[in-house]
Amino acid sequence: RPYRKDLTVKTGKLFLVDLAGSEMVGKTGAQGTRLEEAKTINKSLSALGDVISALATEQAHIPYRNHKLTMLMSDSLGGNAKTLMFVNVSPSDGNLEETQNSLTYATRVRTIKNDASKNVANRELQRLKASLAMWRAKAGEMGGEVQEIEDTRQGELAANEGEVGKASAAAAAAIWAAKSTTKE
């Protein structure tokens, strides 16, 4: 890689994903291993549909972790990405319902709005981020020592509060005793 004067690093990813179509078990007559495969395909497409719905309606929580497929595609589906979906439909009258479902699915994908931009980072910024990560890791290693110091400090505070409480109780008893002797 040749040296660049601008000291920037540009990164990008390209994902090409071929999604299997949904399996109509009644129509295909799948049994055994094919039936299990059809169930898996339908489950993954359902999870993808949930993510697409959440992104399209701009929900606070996007369920990427509900399936391996959506976890792998999370970079492509939301955030800083340009996503294209190609739908293959059948001209046959017998597949009209499946074609309609595919087009509805694609229409939902179309409503997702992403802000695609270049991923450009300054090398100095990358160096600082790496340094920050290293110091955070070191702080994590010292977490036990910090917790021990904090526990000791909490113990000291509790002991001081106990002494203050005893002194307050003694003062209250003295006041009560003084009041009761003056009444007599």
Side-chain angles (χ1 to χ4, degrees):
R1 180 180 251 199
Y3 177 72
R4 298 177 65 136
K5 290 182 181 180
D6 60 0
L7 298 175
T8 59
V9 177
K10 297 176 183 173
T11 60
K13 295 179 184 179
L14 175 65
F15 290 103
L16 298 174
V17 180
D18 181 12
L19 300 174
S22 66
E23 294 290 323
M24 301 281 234
V25 177
K27 188 175 180 181
T28 61
Q31 296 176 350
T33 307
R34 284 190 83 118
L35 178 62
E36 293 304 314
E37 184 178 313
K39 288 179 184 177
T40 304
I41 289 169
N42 289 340
K43 189 183 287 187
S44 66
L45 289 174
S46 177
L48 181 60
D50 292 343
V51 168
I52 289 169
S53 291
L55 287 167
T57 57
E58 298 179 1
Q59 293 179 5
H61 172 69
I62 311 298
Y64 290 119
R65 301 181 95 188
N66 288 357
H67 197 274
K68 288 180 186 178
L69 174 70
T70 54
M71 286 176 61
L72 289 171
M73 293 181 66
S74 63
D75 285 347
S76 300
L77 293 171
N80 185 15
K82 177 79 173 170
T83 305
L84 300 173
M85 181 174 184
F86 297 94
V87 180
N88 190 14
V89 296
S90 173
S92 171
D93 288 342
N95 296 326
L96 180 63
E97 185 180 351
E98 292 174 18
T99 298
Q100 221 169 6
N101 289 340
S102 296
L103 291 174
T104 303
Y105 203 83
T107 303
R108 285 185 6 206
V109 171
R110 188 175 174 198
T111 61
I112 298 172
K113 303 291 183 223
N114 288 343
D115 182 29
S117 61
K118 290 182 180 179
N119 292 327
V120 179
N122 188 309
R123 287 192 181 156
E124 179 65 14
L125 179 63
Q126 287 182 331
R127 186 189 65 76
L128 291 172
K129 284 182 179 180
S131 179
L132 179 62
M134 179 199 64
W135 286 110
R136 282 186 175 160
K138 283 187 178 183
E141 292 171 5
M142 294 181 63
E145 294 174 29
V146 171
Q147 185 63 41
E148 193 174 296
I149 292 168
E150 208 167 288
D151 290 345
T152 303
R153 180 72 180 134
Q154 290 295 328
E156 290 172 358
L157 288 174
N160 288 342
E161 288 174 6
E163 290 174 15
V164 168
K166 287 178 188 174
S168 296
I175 292 170
W176 181 79
K179 285 183 179 179
S180 61
T181 55
T182 56
K183 287 181 181 178
E184 293 178 359

